Amino acid sequence: MSPASTGAPAVVGADSAVPLADSRMAPGGPGYRRMSLALFLAGVATFALLYSTQALLPLVSGDFAVSAGDASWTVAAATGGLALFVLPMSALSERFGRRAVMTASLAVAVTVGLLVPFAPSLGVLVALRALQGAALAGLPASATAYLAEEVTPKALVTAIGLFVAGNSVGGMSGRVITGWVAQEWGWRVAVGVIGVIAVACAVAFRLLLPAPRHFRPGSLRPRVLARTVRGHLADPLLRRLYAIGALFMTVFGGVYTVIGYRLTEAPFGLPQGIVGSVFLVYLVGTVSASTAGRLVGRLGRRGALYAAGGTTAAGLLVSLAGSLPLVLLGLVLITAGFFAGHAVASSAVSKAAAHGRAQASALYQSAYYIGSSAGSTAGAVAFHAGGWAGTVGIGLLAVLGVVAITVLGTRAARAGRRLAAA
């Protein structure tokens, strides 16, 4: 029987799971607060950089004289670069360590972030954003693998929820700051300010994060990596979780890529600073992500996913109203549902993977950011073709997919229990 099935702690590398004494970090224990703050700041830097142009798309469109669909590639290129490179970066983290890969990734990403304001054309801007996304690929999977190895199982959902909460704070602060700075000095200065903030977060992260105690180097052999990946993709539960992450992010990417255009156009006509402040709604995501563990405790994993999907769908429908307060309420519900669903699904991946956790998390992150790229592009195209209702339609289809996959999971679990009882 494996350590995962007995509940015994384990060190997990690419090939093996080795039992060990339970000396991992737990709330109130040594190193836990430093670790939580370090990964929180890494999450802030990741999302602030990754989505630094999203609230500025109307200004980017105007500066380069391009459509919303063309400007949306500054977001899609970054998330696409992350999606493509997250698996190779996770393999490097198995060999060279989670902390080393996260540190190197942040260093490259913040360096590129300081170059982005000087992009002379949309093509160069998109290329820099793709490079930045590829660099950031070392963060998400390595962070969740680090937590799975260094934190006790009971605290894992909460710890990952705090990392996701850092994502929400980064996404929120980046958009709010860029909105107000861009209103006065333009989008280039705004993304430069985000680059400087990300540098500070990266330095603090490296100083705070405790050295790993339970990491064991794995193999970089392609055959070993391919075998691990095939094993994860053959697992029905992991496949469902990957699809759920992608679909949730399709909703979120589409909504927040387009919302700036909707709010700056009639009938609202809001200035860029106010539009940026709308992203304060991300604070709701910070709360919902950090409390996802309690939600799972009350409703179970599938119940929590149903609740997250229902909340997101309700927000999409409410946002169709022509009233600004109702649009904002819709964004609150969409954000709360998305971050809760993401925290539940990503933590379930770490628990479900008995080996190769970095690769399991990397596949989830790859699916997640493919969903972001698809949502950003599809949401912008749908908005151009059918207005906000078109973007909402894309989101509702994605939520329907989440519900359908969760229903399949519920039925599979019931069938498994019947077989076990037979």
Side-chain angles (χ1 to χ4, degrees), residues 146-243:
Y146 175 94
L147 290 169
E149 292 166 352
E150 304 297 331
V151 175
T152 58
K154 288 185 178 180
L156 183 60
V157 175
T158 299
I160 290 179
L162 288 172
F163 175 65
V164 174
N167 294 167
S168 71
V169 169
M172 174 204 71
S173 59
R175 290 161 171 90
V176 172
I177 292 169
T178 56
W180 285 105
V181 173
Q183 182 170 305
E184 297 296 327
W185 295 289
W187 71 267
R188 295 178 184 274
V189 174
V191 294
V193 169
I194 293 302
V196 172
I197 292 172
V199 169
C201 288
V203 171
F205 161 81
R206 185 60 181 83
L207 293 175
L208 288 170
L209 188 69
R213 299 176 62 190
H214 303 134
F215 170 75
R216 297 293 182 271
S219 173
L220 276 177
R221 289 177 294 169
R223 288 184 179 179
V224 174
L225 176 61
R227 185 170 65 243
T228 301
V229 170
R230 283 197 303 269
H232 292 327
L233 292 177
D235 186 321
L237 172 57
L238 288 176
R239 287 202 306 267
R240 289 195 295 269
L241 292 171
Y242 297 154

Side-chain angles (χ1 to χ4, degrees), residues 327-364:
V327 172
L328 295 178
L329 175 60
L331 290 177
V332 166
L333 294 173
I334 292 166
T335 304
F338 162 73
F339 275 104
H342 171 39
V344 171
S346 60
S347 60
V349 168
S350 294
K351 284 189 171 183
H355 67 285
R357 283 195 178 107
Q359 280 74 46
S361 296
L363 288 168
Y364 175 83

